[in-house]
Amino acid sequence: MTQDGKIGMPPGAPSLEEILLQTNDMPWRAKSLKGVHEKMLWRDEETGASVALIKFDKGASIPTPHLHASNQMMFCLSGHYEYTATGVTLKPGSFYCNPKGNVHGPTLAHEDTVVVEIYDGPHYPVRPDWYDNDEDAR
């Protein structure tokens, strides 16, 4: 026991502030844009920064050009996902970085695709019209 009356952790024990998720045990949450699902892994409620797994069903798309309110980064784990206006294509092992304010899209998932998506702040300056609720746009 420590001087302040708390039970001390043994050397090498994980910090209770660490996060360990077994993503295979987490359900996918369907977003309001058909064919798009997420597993939110971490979010900073103060800044809007987040890390999530995003799954696009084959044929799913972000329908219009758009921009983000922060830097967007994606690492493709599986599938084939294309930014159709530019031909930028993500396949397994691809890393994509889209700087804050850069207009990009539309997109198309040529195959079922899973990416790790990271934002260093809020996702959108305003909710895109393809989402019918604010939670899907955060």
Side-chain angles (χ1 to χ4, degrees):
M1 200 173 273
T2 63
Q3 286 182 323
D4 61 4
K6 295 181 180 177
I7 297 174
M9 297 297 288
S15 165
L16 297 179
E17 296 176 0
E18 292 178 326
I19 299 170
L20 176 63
L21 302 172
Q22 299 302 328
T23 61
N24 288 338
D25 297 335
M26 296 172 63
W28 287 103
R29 184 183 78 81
K31 292 189 166 211
S32 53
L33 179 59
K34 184 176 177 2
V36 181
H37 316 268
E38 76 174 4
K39 292 183 182 187
M40 184 55 61
L41 305 179
W42 175 85
R43 177 172 303 174
D44 183 322
E45 294 296 341
E46 289 182 26
T47 67
S50 64
V51 178
L53 291 175
I54 304 294
K55 179 174 72 165
F56 300 93
D57 294 341
K58 181 179 180 178
S61 72
I62 305 294
T64 59
H66 60 282
L67 56 82
H68 296 287
S70 64
N71 296 307
Q72 173 196 33
M73 292 152 275
M74 294 193 303
F75 182 80
C76 185
L77 298 174
S78 63
H80 178 181
Y81 188 75
E82 180 184 2
Y83 287 84
T84 57
T86 59
V88 170
T89 300
L90 283 70
K91 291 192 174 182
S94 297
F95 174 75
Y96 172 79
C97 184
N98 179 48
K100 174 183 176 177
N102 181 57
V103 176
H104 60 291
T107 69
L108 176 64
H110 293 281
E111 301 172 1
D112 288 350
T113 300
V114 176
V115 300
V116 177
E117 185 172 54
I118 302 165
Y119 288 91
D120 62 3
H123 292 202
Y124 300 99
V126 295
R127 183 177 83 204
D129 62 3
W130 60 78
Y131 287 131
D132 66 11
N133 65 79
D134 290 339
E135 179 63 23
D136 286 349
R138 344 187 296 133

